[in-house]
Amino acid sequence: ALQDQAIAYLKNIDKYPDELAKGRINIIYIYYSQSSNTSTVVKRQQDANLVEVDFFREDIAGLEVVTPTYFNSQNYVMFVPNENGGKLVAAQVRYFAKSDDLTGVYALRSGEDAWQKLASGSGAVVYNQNSTKTITIRKMELHYFDPEVYQQTIQPVYVFLGDNFAAYVPALKESYFE
């Protein structure tokens, strides 16, 4: 119901581009504590007093598109749930059309090279809730990155995932940035 409400709202304000309509939608349940001014993601809808409906771009060439925060999107509608679905409290769309004219085949760095970049501190840590300095990486995947600021192209990144951890390393070789 809230997903439909969010889509209807974005359509109503003409901010629901085809790429978001064809992409995945993720719903996040949040408990907001006014007394401590903190938000916590919760697993169950009944424990939430806020619901965020996130919209992601459609996959590109079979690869998922990730955002600067990995777990949620810069394109969202947020509600306070009620008996009618929800009351809209916030919305944001930071969507920039990409140029399909610049599509091409580019050499990617190897996974090993990306790992070395991350280990040497050259990656971008986008989520780290670990209390120790030791991080165990459990998965490395190739995705496309949808930035919050305008770029003509959507570029590939290696995503490193661990327990309470996510980081990105650009997948294109440095020679493409010179």
Side-chain angles (χ1 to χ4, degrees):
L2 287 179
Q3 177 176 319
D4 295 335
Q5 249 184 285
I7 291 169
Y9 174 74
L10 293 180
K11 285 181 176 179
N12 188 47
I13 63 168
D14 199 25
K15 294 293 182 187
Y16 195 51
D18 206 34
E19 272 192 280
L20 293 183
K22 291 179 179 176
R24 66 188 162 89
I25 294 175
N26 187 37
I27 297 178
I28 299 174
Y29 302 109
I30 302 166
Y31 176 76
Y32 172 72
S33 169
Q34 190 172 6
S35 61
S36 63
N37 195 27
T38 58
S39 296
T40 306
V41 174
V42 295
K43 293 187 187 300
R44 302 178 327 155
Q45 183 175 359
Q46 56 267 36
D47 296 333
N49 56 12
L50 287 173
V51 178
E52 181 175 301
V53 181
D54 288 317
F55 297 87
F56 293 84
R57 284 182 188 262
E58 69 179 314
D59 292 355
I60 300 171
L63 296 176
E64 198 172 279
V65 178
V66 295
T67 62
T69 55
Y70 185 76
F71 297 103
N72 56 348
S73 177
Q74 67 265 24
N75 307 300
Y76 64 87
V77 180
M78 190 174 291
F79 299 95
V80 171
N82 62 28
E83 61 281 347
N84 299 323
K87 178 181 178 178
L88 178 76
V89 292
Q92 173 179 285
V93 176
R94 284 195 178 162
Y95 169 84
F96 302 99
K98 67 182 183 354
S99 170
D100 291 328
D101 297 338
L102 299 174
T103 301
V105 177
Y106 299 91
L108 300 181
R109 71 176 77 240
S110 69
E112 179 61 34
D113 184 43
W115 167 247
Q116 293 302 323
K117 291 281 186 199
L118 179 66
S120 69
S122 294
V125 175
V126 296
Y127 180 76
N128 185 3
Q129 294 297 310
N130 289 287
S131 56
T132 66
K133 288 189 176 198
T134 303
I135 309 261
T136 301
I137 301 298
R138 302 213 180 268
K139 191 189 303 186
M140 178 182 80
E141 300 174 334
L142 186 62
H143 293 285
Y144 279 94
F145 178 69
D146 183 15
E148 286 185 302
V149 295
Y150 175 74
Q151 282 184 186
Q152 280 187 300
T153 59
I154 303 287
Q155 297 181 21
V157 293
Y158 283 102
V159 177
F160 293 88
L161 298 170
D163 299 331
N164 298 309
F165 180 85
Y168 300 158
V169 172
L172 294 179
K173 291 185 175 184
E174 278 92 1
S175 59
Y176 291 109
F177 298 107
E178 295 171 355

